[in-house]
Amino acid sequence: MIPSPKHYLLLTSLVALITTPWAQATDLGVIGPTYEISEPHLLRMIEQRLREKERTGELQRLEEEAKSRGVEAVTHPQPVADIRTTQTARTFYMDPSFTLERNILDAQGRLLFPAGTRKNPLEIVSLSKHLLFFDARDPRQVDRARELLASYQGRVKPILTGGSYLDLMKSWRIPVYYDQQGWLTRRFGIHQVPALVSQEGQRLRIDELEITK
């Protein structure tokens, strides 16, 4: 089809627009003085600063502080928040049953347990030891924990909510655990320590125990 004069004019205008040498320089004169861009290399600048800190001894000081913070975090973990020494003893029970939020499949993709299935883990495995939560920063709680360990003939798993579990392990020569970020105490609904978790049938019994002054 032969383009009309109107279309032909539009086509030639587009061609001219595309092929116009926009990169052609135009002399606008000198606006002001120009300078060569000079920017220090980032890595070189960092290296120079590190060497300066090393020369003044600041780098060694920072390394020692970081090491001390790391050791402190391991030997004395952050105490569990919102846990206090038992003021009024109480006993309550917990059903550990949970409901599956999605289907559980085997390695071949076959359905084992559909979503919505409710199970109690105590139907499958029992609690082999009592769980004892206490704050090792409180000597009274440590003494009460030692008494319970003797009373239950070692069938107690000590779990700290504060203090140094490493120091206690060295002293007692048994494994001592720590409730990192309060995950277990929140799960059991514990707000006071010392607290003892035991199994009674298909549920858990939680005793928040008084301690003598």
Side-chain angles (χ1 to χ4, degrees):
M1 181 179 64
I2 300 175
S4 65
K6 182 178 180 182
H7 289 169
Y8 183 79
L9 179 61
L10 179 60
L11 180 60
T12 54
S13 298
L14 287 174
V15 172
L17 182 62
I18 295 172
T19 58
T20 299
W22 293 101
Q24 183 178 355
T26 302
D27 186 2
L28 299 177
V30 178
I31 299 177
T34 59
Y35 303 94
E36 181 181 355
I37 298 176
S38 177
E39 183 176 321
H41 195 282
L42 179 60
L43 294 179
R44 189 176 299 117
M45 180 180 65
I46 294 175
E47 182 181 2
Q48 290 175 351
R49 290 186 178 180
L50 286 175
R51 289 186 182 279
E52 178 64 20
K53 291 181 182 295
E54 184 178 20
R55 185 186 64 80
T56 60
E58 184 178 0
L59 183 60
Q60 182 178 356
R61 179 182 61 81
L62 293 174
E63 290 177 349
E64 291 175 353
E65 289 179 356
K67 186 184 299 182
S68 297
R69 287 194 300 269
V71 171
E72 180 67 18
V74 172
T75 57
H76 297 85
Q78 188 73 17
V80 178
D82 301 323
I83 298 293
R84 64 179 183 273
T85 302
T86 301
Q87 298 175 354
T88 303
R90 67 167 182 155
T91 297
F92 58 97
Y93 292 86
M94 172 192 173
D95 180 1
S97 299
F98 63 94
T99 302
L100 294 177
E101 297 180 354
R102 59 184 180 86
N103 294 334
I104 302 299
L105 310 177
D106 64 11
Q108 287 70 42
R110 293 173 297 197
L111 180 65
L112 292 177
F113 302 101
T117 299
R118 184 173 176 81
K119 293 295 293 182
N120 186 336
L122 295 178
E123 297 173 2
I124 303 172
V125 59
S126 61
L127 193 65
S128 60
K129 291 185 177 182
H130 301 274
L131 306 181
L132 176 59
F133 295 86
F134 64 101
D135 191 336
R137 297 173 299 176
D138 185 347
R140 300 172 304 164
Q141 295 190 41
V142 174
D143 290 341
R144 186 65 189 276
R146 189 185 293 109
E147 293 172 0
L148 290 169
L149 280 167
S151 175
Y152 287 103
Q153 299 180 346
R155 292 184 296 106
V156 175
K157 181 176 290 187
I159 306 173
L160 298 188
T161 59
S164 173
Y165 66 97
L166 289 176
D167 291 345
L168 209 54
M169 278 199 296
K170 293 177 182 177
S171 173
W172 288 1
R173 297 185 180 279
I174 61 172
V176 177
Y177 304 88
Y178 204 95
D179 186 17
Q180 293 284 354
Q181 300 178 352
W183 190 90
L184 289 174
T185 47
R186 286 198 305 272
R187 180 76 175 88
F188 294 133
I190 294 173
H191 298 289
Q192 303 178 114
V193 289
L196 189 69
V197 179
S198 311
Q199 179 178 352
E200 285 192 4
Q202 301 301 309
R203 61 180 183 170
L204 297 174
R205 170 175 170 162
I206 295 97
D207 293 287
E208 294 178 343
L209 307 169
E210 283 185 336
I211 53 175
T212 56
K213 296 183 179 179

